[in-house]
Amino acid sequence: MAQLANIPIRIEQPEAEPQQFGNALPILNEIRHALARFAESAEPTRIDLAAMPFGPGDEEHLMALLGRGEVEATIDALGPTRVWETRFPGVWVLDYANVEGERIALQIEVDEIPQMLRTQRADITDSLTALDAALASATAADPAAESRH
Amino acid sequence: MATSKTLGESLRQHGVSRRGFLKFCAATASMMALPPSMAPAIAQALEKARRPSVIWLSFQECTGCTESLTRSFSPTVENLIFDVISLDYHHTLQAAAGDAAEHAREQAMNSNAGEYLVVVDGSLPGPKANPGYSTIAGISNYDMLMDTIDGAAAVVAVGTCAAFGGLPKADPNPTGAVSVQDLVKDKPVINVSGCPPVPMVITGVLAQFLTFGTIPELDEYGRPRAFFGQSIHDRCYRRPFYDKGKFAESFDDEGAKAGWCLYRLGCKGPMTYNACATMKWNGGASWPVEAGYPCLGCSEPDFWDAGGFYKALSVPTGSPGDVLLTAGAVGAAVGVGAGLMSRNQGKQAAKHHDKVTADQLEEKL
Ligand code: SF4
Ligand code: SF4
């Protein structure tokens, strides 16, 4: 086992710039086009980053360029989806993970608010029914409710 | 049991919320290599989709394809699809065996006649070969395939063995192995090649059939263009180095450490059509070239017989001529240099754990 120590190990400088393969800037350009389109005609765009030929470091570089903005949210459905607005308002990142926390998709969405964050109409209808039921049972259980009628 | 509920209903029964369903559709679009703008169309189609019955036949194979599929991180969107599609027969995954299993297959065929999907992994001894090389429950692979596809809507050949013959068909092909498309002529055959295929590609193709009920657009080898439409080389993140003529010459030189192109180390990326460069492996963690290893060309016909894994492609494709001339010249010089190194020196190098060149590696194999 003494020989194990002979295997040379090279430690990257932690402060060194991450390695880059130049695939972040074209995406940033695509985002710019999408943002211009939204500014002009309010047409939203979604970009699937899984379809991009990223090398190690490219995604980090893109994310560093986009930065973080004011809004951050987590959606708990089929595992967590982390959503944040970048430092460019209207440019959102959606990081979809499964219940084990492994990423299943990564998207950029250019919109006022990402589709996933909006409450769907059908859910609002269901919600009304659920709230009615909750109200009915709460009223039935409340002794003071009778006198208020 | 198969076709009673729609997929939307099944998902909701599994406790999937509408936001969860949106997420499912976003991930499915990504998996099908469709633009994210297709997610609403997928959602609509999935709400109405009936669960198709799937019969999975495994012939002369190593189970690598099924491993690829089931070892994909779980529980995932793919698994969800498998929970809701009805996998009525799969040799490896089902508990039943022998007559009971065959009975399940026949029942699935009868009750879903004309609509079920047959998935095949592995090649099989052709009609003129000795059927004894591969049988299941006493039935030859050939008879089982022909019998099963009779009422099928389509056949999906999963893996390079099923698609092109693969390892069993490699020279000298002792079992007379043939591919599925060699035998199935009157049904659509979708080839999902790869050794094994990227799991997301397998499920992406199945999801497409499940969602839209259609056969995807195929290339000249019968592979879905959405996944096999571009070469590894065209989507490789190391491509800028190739274009600049910067090549790693051994697995541990400075070029290799700097992440240069692996062409000189035998990368078959320029002639290989597959989705590895974008979809990657192990849940998107990495892929062979990113790990510093050349593409072997595993999704192409006859890749086992296509020369050494570490031999550079002789006719480079799709790149500027002047760059290639330089690359070729450098390559020739290195080849001569490596050739001059004596066997004895090679042995000594091994003893002292010194560097080994790609050519030496090739020599040893
Ligand atoms: S030859 Fe291989 S490593 Fe080089 S750019 Fe093409 S696919 Fe990438
Ligand atoms: S990189 Fe090449 S050899 Fe490796 S899995 Fe992908 S297509 Fe097959």
Side-chain angles (χ1 to χ4, degrees):
Chain A
M1 287 311 273
Q3 280 164 331
L4 206 58
N6 298 335
I7 298 174
I9 297 172
R10 197 175 62 161
I11 297 167
E12 298 281 345
Q13 293 300 100
E15 66 270 18
E17 277 284 305
Q19 206 179 11
Q20 280 172 31
F21 291 86
N23 297 311
L25 283 188
I27 309 295
L28 204 59
N29 264 306
E30 195 177 334
I31 295 171
R32 199 216 155 265
H33 282 295
L35 203 57
R37 206 161 40 234
F38 194 86
E40 203 169 288
S41 58
E43 184 195 327
T45 304
R46 267 185 241 165
I47 300 167
D48 185 12
L49 294 183
M52 303 303 163
F54 278 165
D58 278 333
E59 184 191 312
E60 289 76 3
H61 186 46
L62 177 68
M63 290 304 159
L65 285 168
L66 288 173
R68 290 280 187 147
E70 293 168 327
V71 189
E72 201 174 317
T74 304
I75 300 159
D76 190 15
L78 284 184
T81 300
R82 291 185 309 123
V83 183
W84 65 90
E85 196 172 35
T86 67
R87 69 190 170 96
F88 305 102
V91 180
W92 299 81
V93 177
L94 284 94
D95 190 352
Y96 303 86
N98 63 13
V99 285
E100 287 177 353
E102 291 153 323
R103 178 182 287 168
I104 55 172
L106 182 66
Q107 290 181 347
I108 301 279
E109 195 164 329
V110 176
D111 202 343
E112 280 160 351
I113 187 158
Q115 201 58 42
M116 269 283 272
L117 285 181
R118 288 175 205 268
T119 307
Q120 293 183 43
R121 271 302 162 95
D123 276 335
I124 293 183
T125 316
D126 291 352
S127 163
L128 194 61
T129 316
L131 187 57
D132 280 345
L135 209 55
S137 68
T139 310
D142 184 0
E146 199 62 37
S147 57
R148 264 189 244 127
H149 273 287
Chain B
M1 59 183 181
T3 50
S4 50
K5 255 181 269 138
T6 69
L7 186 61
E9 285 163 353
S10 307
L11 285 173
R12 222 150 294 135
Q13 219 172 43
H14 277 71
V16 175
S17 71
R18 287 195 177 85
R19 277 205 184 89
F21 188 59
L22 256 192
K23 173 177 182 170
F24 175 86
C25 293
T28 306
S30 175
M31 193 168 78
M32 288 198 240
L34 292 173
S37 55
M38 285 293 286
I42 292 170
Q44 247 184 10
L46 281 179
E47 277 288 357
K48 286 186 240 120
R50 300 259 155 200
R51 299 190 299 160
S53 179
V54 173
I55 298 176
W56 187 303
L57 303 175
S58 301
F59 296 140
Q60 292 179 307
E61 45 84 47
C62 67
T63 312
C65 296
T66 297
E67 285 288 333
S68 167
L69 184 66
T70 55
R71 301 295 149 191
S72 61
F73 48 105
S74 71
T76 58
V77 177
E78 297 102 286
N79 290 11
L80 214 53
I81 286 185
F82 275 95
D83 284 346
V84 292
I85 70 169
S86 161
L87 199 51
D88 282 324
Y89 177 89
H90 189 305
H91 299 160
T92 317
L93 301 180
Q94 70 196 356
D99 284 347
E102 293 319 306
H103 183 65
R105 178 173 64 92
E106 280 154 22
Q107 203 178 17
M109 284 164 58
N110 290 334
S111 49
N112 301 287
E115 289 174 357
Y116 59 86
L117 196 64
V118 175
V119 180
V120 181
D121 63 338
S123 61
L124 59 162
K128 294 200 195 88
N130 180 346
Y133 280 122
S134 186
T135 63
I136 294 155
I139 307 167
S140 77
N141 287 173
Y142 176 77
D143 287 344
M144 185 176 282
L145 177 69
M146 292 330 237
D147 182 41
T148 311
I149 60 156
D150 212 28
V155 185
V156 182
V158 166
T160 297
C161 295
F164 306 127
L167 183 66
K169 190 176 167 241
D171 193 38
N173 190 0
T175 63
V178 296
S179 69
V180 171
Q181 66 185 355
D182 286 337
L183 300 172
V184 179
K185 299 292 178 196
D186 56 349
K187 301 276 173 184
V189 177
I190 306 167
N191 283 331
V192 182
S193 61
C195 190
V198 180
M200 295 258 279
V201 174
I202 307 179
T203 45
V205 170
L206 296 180
Q208 168 137 12
F209 183 80
L210 167 73
T211 312
F212 300 115
T214 53
I215 311 295
E217 196 198 334
L218 306 175
D219 71 2
E220 67 267 43
Y221 290 120
R223 299 176 298 195
R225 273 191 204 282
F227 302 103
F228 297 92
Q230 279 168 311
S231 71
I232 296 285
H233 188 58
D234 282 344
R235 305 294 272 163
C236 179
Y237 73 95
R238 296 195 185 206
R239 180 64 184 266
F241 294 117
Y242 177 93
D243 291 340
K244 285 188 206 116
K246 289 185 165 175
F247 300 99
E249 303 291 349
S250 78
F251 284 100
D252 54 359
D253 67 3
E254 283 310 310
K257 284 175 194 156
W260 289 0
C261 170
L262 301 169
Y263 178 83
R264 288 283 313 134
L265 295 173
C267 185
K268 306 291 181 289
M271 48 142 280
T272 305
Y273 290 79
N274 203 348
C276 308
T278 48
M279 296 193 130
K280 304 190 179 181
W281 283 86
N282 297 324
S286 183
W287 64 292
V289 168
E290 190 168 338
Y293 196 80
C295 168
L296 305 179
C298 77
S299 57
E300 294 302 307
D302 300 322
F303 91 98
W304 290 105
D305 294 325
F309 288 157
Y310 306 107
K311 279 218 172 75
L313 279 174
S314 50
V315 186
T317 47
S319 75
D322 51 347
V323 172
L324 276 178
L325 264 182
T326 341
V330 171
V334 167
V336 170
L340 283 177
M341 200 178 179
S342 71
R343 263 176 189 276
N344 193 30
Q345 263 177 309
K347 268 193 209 131
Q348 278 223 319
K351 217 159 114 198
H352 292 106
H353 208 98
D354 281 347
K355 288 182 186 178
V356 176
T357 67
D359 294 293
Q360 284 176 308
L361 211 53
E362 190 70 49
E363 219 173 283
K364 276 193 211 145
L365 290 176

